[in-house]
């Protein structure tokens, strides 16, 4: 396996400073690398109306898509604390839309890399664009 691109961690680590998480006090950031070699970062953005809060992965995916990019090669997610900050269920599905079962999801904290999973490990037997490829009309 090729070694982890250090730029992914560096970009996610600098983005962590911009997390807006006054309610949970749980900053999360991430950096997506696309198959074309571009990087898109995201941070969680909370709201006083709690359910309106955005996860860091949703923010990064928004940036990626609005720049015309649609294929995630790897993603590095940073969250603090003892437990690994793996993506929430909704974000696994968001990532799935633009990734494959073998897409790498790296998890770390502000000190560095802690673990790597494939999307297939985190979201097995997923529902995705392939389910809608055939028209049924
Ligand atoms: N959070 C993320 O940004 N990504 C995840 O995948 C897990 C959770 C954020 C949402 C909320 O602002 C804070 O972490 C605590 O749940």
């Amino acid at each position: 396996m090729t070694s982890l691109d250090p730029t992914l961690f560096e970009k996610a680590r600098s983005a962590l400073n911009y997390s807006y998480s006054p309610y949970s006090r749980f900053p999360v950031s991430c950096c997506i690398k696309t198959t074309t070699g571009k990087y898109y970062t995201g941070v969680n953005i909370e709201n006083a109306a709690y359910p309106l809060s955005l996860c860091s992965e949703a923010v990064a995916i928004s940036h990626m898509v609005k720049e015309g990019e649609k294929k995630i090669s790897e993603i590095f997610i940073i969250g603090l604390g003892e437990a690994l900050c793996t993506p929430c269920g909704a974000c696994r599905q968001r990532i799935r839309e633009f990734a494959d079962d073998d897409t790498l999801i790296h998890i770390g904290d502000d000190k560095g890399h802690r673990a790597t999973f494939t999307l297939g490990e985190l979201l097995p037997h997923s529902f995705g664009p392939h389910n809608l490829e055939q028209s049924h009309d």
Side-chain angles (χ1 to χ4, degrees):
M1 195 167 122
T2 53
S3 61
L4 209 169
D5 173 2
T7 305
L8 269 174
F9 169 72
E10 283 153 23
K11 286 185 178 290
R13 173 66 192 86
S14 358
L16 194 63
N17 298 314
Y18 302 114
S19 160
Y20 178 72
S21 43
Y23 306 110
S24 71
R25 296 173 196 272
F26 189 79
V28 181
S29 66
C30 69
C31 183
I32 288 171
K33 185 177 185 178
T34 63
T35 51
T36 61
K38 304 244 174 57
Y39 298 92
Y40 298 96
T41 57
V43 295
N44 55 336
I45 303 174
E46 298 184 347
N47 193 285
Y50 295 168
L52 298 184
S53 299
L54 299 171
C55 283
S56 77
E57 297 91 325
V59 172
I61 288 171
S62 302
H63 280 293
M64 177 188 83
V65 173
K66 71 113 170 74
E67 293 299 318
E69 297 278 335
K70 290 190 180 56
K71 202 76 199 169
I72 297 173
S73 155
E74 297 177 64
I75 179 167
F76 198 122
I77 302 165
I78 291 182
L80 309 183
E82 200 168 319
L84 290 176
C85 185
T86 49
C88 74
C91 285
R92 292 175 197 205
Q93 186 67 38
R94 288 191 176 102
I95 293 167
R96 168 68 186 91
E97 187 69 20
F98 303 104
D100 300 318
D101 275 348
D102 57 359
T103 299
L104 297 180
I105 301 181
H106 309 288
I107 312 296
D109 57 22
D110 56 341
K111 311 248 174 353
H113 174 249
R114 295 181 63 196
T116 293
F117 303 95
T118 63
L119 177 62
E121 288 175 307
L122 296 182
L123 192 69
H125 309 290
S126 64
F127 183 88
H130 68 281
N131 290 96
L132 304 178
E133 264 160 20
Q134 272 183 312
S135 152
H136 299 286
D137 47 42

